[in-house]
Amino acid sequence: MKPLKISSTASAPCKVILFGEHFVVYGKPAILAAIDKRIHVNVSIRNDTKFVINNKDIHDEISISNIIESNYKHDKLSYPIFLTAYNTLRGFDSRVGLDIKIDSQVPFGSGLGTSAAVSAALIASISNLFGSFNKHQIFLQTLEAEKLIHATPSGADPAITVTGGVIMFRKTKEPDMLIMPLEYNDLRLIIIYSGENRITGDIVNNVKRIREDNPKLFEMFANKNEEITLDAVQALRNKDYNSLGSLMLRNHELLKSLGVSTRRLDEIVEKAMQNGALGAKMTGAGGGGSVIAIAEDENRLLNTFQEYYAFIANIDKDGVRVE
Ligand code: PMV
């Protein structure tokens, strides 16, 4: 198929997991929120058959024939991006070369869902070259892209970056995931990036081992987490931010017991609570990444964390979109 445009831009929001990370991989519900920090991806057609990424974090290129011939797999950051571009173009029966520009409003590796947002924005921008924009299709393709990064993604990150808003997510039998939009009223979050980077797949594998070694204990944690998550749905609906805050703290304690928090994340949570937060917890895989908090006096918290990359996030309502 011939592209209808020579250039296209799409963007997708970053996200936080409000409740239920890790346990969501094993079929428990999680609550996720899309935040008003986006990743923009621009693609423009080249007059050769190369993919070229040129942005401040990644510079790399590959010819499409190399992807086809070499059973292409390497450990560079660009690998899932190139392969996802290739797979998306294949869906349109096209083999054009692309310049790919990626622009992120948050640091990569900060635990804010940058990888799923890059994939969703990339898939949407390429699809838009052919006049197509189908959120369900973008979700399924983003899920495939996430599998290139770690083997057993729950699908929660692809779901939230595509739909936007706040959702309850439950992994049922693929591809029929449960994605339920939730009321979020005037919810705002303070996000504090610890500066510690980690690889989601490694932490997910550690948790898998813990589950295999202590199935009963894991089951107990998972059930507690489910209870917390379901109570949080009610608290969100009722704008009961005091309860929501306590539930966040309980969720953090569980993740700490699971061994996925770090000393720095615990310190940030503690400091947030000492400075007026109603609740705080690590978010995402752990081992680093970010802490989220809710507070009445958000500026007081921001001032507390001046030495960190910290910001106030509103909820993004759009999800992935063409610009
Ligand atoms: O690394 P993040 O922030 O995208 O979070 C991963 C969330 C996990 O529940 C640990 C894994 C998953 O696939 O849901």
Side-chain angles (χ1 to χ4, degrees):
M1 191 171 167
K2 250 177 117 70
L4 307 174
K5 300 176 186 154
I6 53 165
S7 174
S8 152
T9 303
S11 72
C14 294
K15 69 94 201 15
V16 294
I17 301 184
L18 292 174
F19 294 93
E21 48 274 90
H22 286 292
F23 303 104
V24 67
V25 174
Y26 301 97
K28 294 293 185 191
I31 302 178
L32 294 98
I35 57 171
D36 56 351
K37 296 275 184 194
R38 295 193 149 250
I39 295 191
H40 287 78
V41 176
N42 168 268
V43 291
S44 31
I45 293 177
R46 294 172 59 87
N47 44 24
D48 57 22
T49 53
K50 278 184 188 166
F51 291 152
V52 180
I53 301 181
N54 214 344
N55 72 303
K56 65 178 184 332
D57 301 289
I58 318 171
H59 300 269
D60 203 358
E61 62 174 68
I62 189 162
S63 70
I64 294 183
S65 51
N66 270 359
I67 296 186
I68 299 165
E69 280 158 22
S70 61
N71 244 338
Y72 175 61
K73 186 157 179 64
H74 64 68
D75 56 6
K76 285 201 218 161
L77 261 176
S78 47
Y79 156 71
I81 300 173
F82 286 148
L83 207 54
T84 298
Y86 172 71
N87 287 336
T88 310
L89 282 172
R90 229 172 37 160
F92 294 98
D93 210 6
S94 171
R95 269 195 197 177
V96 291
L98 293 174
D99 277 319
I100 302 171
K101 290 198 193 81
I102 302 167
D103 183 19
S104 174
Q105 294 174 340
V106 301
F108 287 107
S110 48
L112 300 174
T114 47
S115 71
V118 168
S119 299
L122 175 66
I123 293 161
S125 62
I126 294 175
S127 304
N128 182 48
L129 289 175
F130 299 90
S132 160
F133 180 80
N134 174 326
K135 279 198 170 188
H136 185 62
Q137 199 55 37
I138 296 170
F139 164 66
L140 294 177
Q141 286 175 278
T142 304
L143 180 58
E144 289 311 308
E146 284 286 277
K147 287 182 190 162
L148 301 171
I149 299 166
H150 75 97
T152 55
S154 63
D157 282 20
I160 190 63
T161 195
V162 168
T163 59
V166 176
I167 59 167
M168 186 165 92
F169 175 92
R170 195 193 275 265
K171 178 180 170 183
T172 50
K173 242 173 106 205
E174 212 176 292
D176 304 318
M177 315 264 182
L178 178 82
I179 302 172
M180 195 172 102
L182 297 179
E183 284 172 48
Y184 53 90
N185 296 301
D186 47 2
L187 178 72
R188 273 153 58 102
L189 301 158
I190 298 104
I191 299 180
I192 307 124
Y193 172 37
S194 68
E196 297 172 313
N197 280 354
R198 79 286 187 267
I199 297 174
T200 296
D202 292 349
I203 317 262
V204 170
N205 282 336
N206 290 346
V207 172
K208 187 169 173 239
R209 238 169 282 130
I210 292 171
R211 180 172 176 260
E212 281 161 7
D213 293 346
N214 310 281
K216 286 227 165 81
L217 186 69
F218 188 87
E219 182 71 14
M220 196 183 86
F221 285 169
N223 289 339
K224 269 216 171 95
N225 200 265
E226 179 164 20
E227 224 173 84
I228 292 172
T229 304
L230 296 178
D231 285 350
V233 174
Q234 290 306 328
L236 262 176
R237 186 174 293 148
N238 301 337
K239 280 172 83 164
D240 181 354
Y241 296 127
N242 283 312
S243 300
L244 197 71
S246 334
L247 291 164
M248 285 166 81
L249 276 179
R250 281 177 59 200
N251 194 166
H252 182 76
E253 285 307 315
L254 267 182
L255 292 166
K256 205 168 144 180
S257 310
L258 196 61
V260 296
S261 188
T262 64
R263 186 182 295 192
R264 192 177 302 169
L265 292 171
D266 295 342
E267 279 168 8
I268 295 174
V269 169
E270 217 167 285
K271 203 164 165 189
M273 295 313 294
Q274 286 159 359
N275 285 277
L278 299 172
K281 68 180 274 287
M282 55 156 274
T283 184
S290 297
V291 166
I292 53 173
I294 52 172
E296 269 163 11
D297 189 349
E298 292 159 340
N299 287 323
R300 179 174 163 205
L301 264 200
L302 270 194
N303 284 335
T304 308
F305 291 107
Q306 269 176 16
E307 75 272 32
Y308 287 92
Y309 173 84
F311 60 95
I312 298 172
N314 288 299
I315 306 301
D316 163 89
K317 62 176 185 358
D318 289 348
V320 67
R321 67 177 183 226
V322 168
E323 295 293 334

